[in-house]
Amino acid sequence: MPRLVLTNVAVTFGATDISSYVTSVTLGSTFEVVETTAFGNTARTRVAGLADNSVSLELQQDYATSALESVIYPTLGTAVSITVKPVAGATSSANPAYSFSALISEWTPLNGSVGELATASVTWPISGVITKTV
C-alpha cells in the first residue's frame, strides 16, 4: 500500500493559492453523539448527529502587497471558500480535493520572538459540509 509524505499540499483561499505560506494543515470532522436509548434497551444506543468541521493552518506571515496578510485580513468575520489537496496538481482518486466554506473567525497578524520567523496559527470552523472531489 503506498504512503504519502506531504511535501506539496495545495491550499486555495478564495481564488488565491496560499500553499507557499502553509507549513501545516489539519482538516477535521467530528459528529455530535445523540443518544437513542429507550425503555427496554439493555445498553445505550446512539446515532451520529450534526457534523462539526474545522480546518487548522500553520502559516508563514508575509506583509507584502498581494501576499498572505493582504489576502486574509480583509476577510475577517466572513466565510471564505477553501480547497485543500494532498498534492498540488490534478484532482483524482489518488489526489482528492476537499472544498468547504470556512468562517474566518480569528487571525493573529503578528506572532514570534526575536530572531524567529513571523507566523500565524489559525483554526477556523467550517460552515456546512466538506465536499470531496475525486
Side-chain angles (χ1 to χ4, degrees), residues 62-88:
D62 189 340
Y63 303 98
T65 303
S66 301
L68 186 68
E69 172 74 7
S70 67
V71 171
I72 293 179
Y73 189 80
T75 66
L76 280 169
T78 67
V80 174
S81 61
I82 297 176
T83 300
V84 176
K85 293 194 301 187
V87 179

Side-chain angles (χ1 to χ4, degrees), residues 83-104:
T83 300
V84 176
K85 293 194 301 187
V87 179
T91 300
S92 68
S93 59
N95 189 35
Y98 298 92
S99 302
F100 48 87
S101 180
L103 177 61
I104 311 309

Side-chain angles (χ1 to χ4, degrees), residues 11-134:
V11 180
T12 305
F13 183 90
T16 305
D17 182 352
I18 63 167
S19 304
S20 63
Y21 304 104
V22 178
T23 61
S24 174
V25 60
T26 303
L27 182 60
S29 296
T30 58
F31 287 84
E32 293 176 356
V33 177
V34 179
E35 187 169 337
T36 58
T37 308
F39 289 116
N41 289 127
T42 59
R44 296 193 183 279
T45 59
R46 298 169 178 88
V47 297
L50 296 174
D52 190 9
N53 306 310
S54 65
V55 62
S56 297
L57 299 169
E58 298 289 331
L59 303 154
Q60 297 175 344
Q61 183 58 286
D62 189 340
Y63 303 98
T65 303
S66 301
L68 186 68
E69 172 74 7
S70 67
V71 171
I72 293 179
Y73 189 80
T75 66
L76 280 169
T78 67
V80 174
S81 61
I82 297 176
T83 300
V84 176
K85 293 194 301 187
V87 179
T91 300
S92 68
S93 59
N95 189 35
Y98 298 92
S99 302
F100 48 87
S101 180
L103 177 61
I104 311 309
S105 58
E106 66 172 296
W107 182 238
T108 305
L110 188 57
N111 180 38
S113 298
V114 173
E116 292 182 345
L117 184 67
T119 61
S121 299
V122 296
T123 298
W124 294 323
I126 293 173
S127 182
V129 299
I130 300 170
T131 303
K132 180 179 177 181
T133 305
V134 293

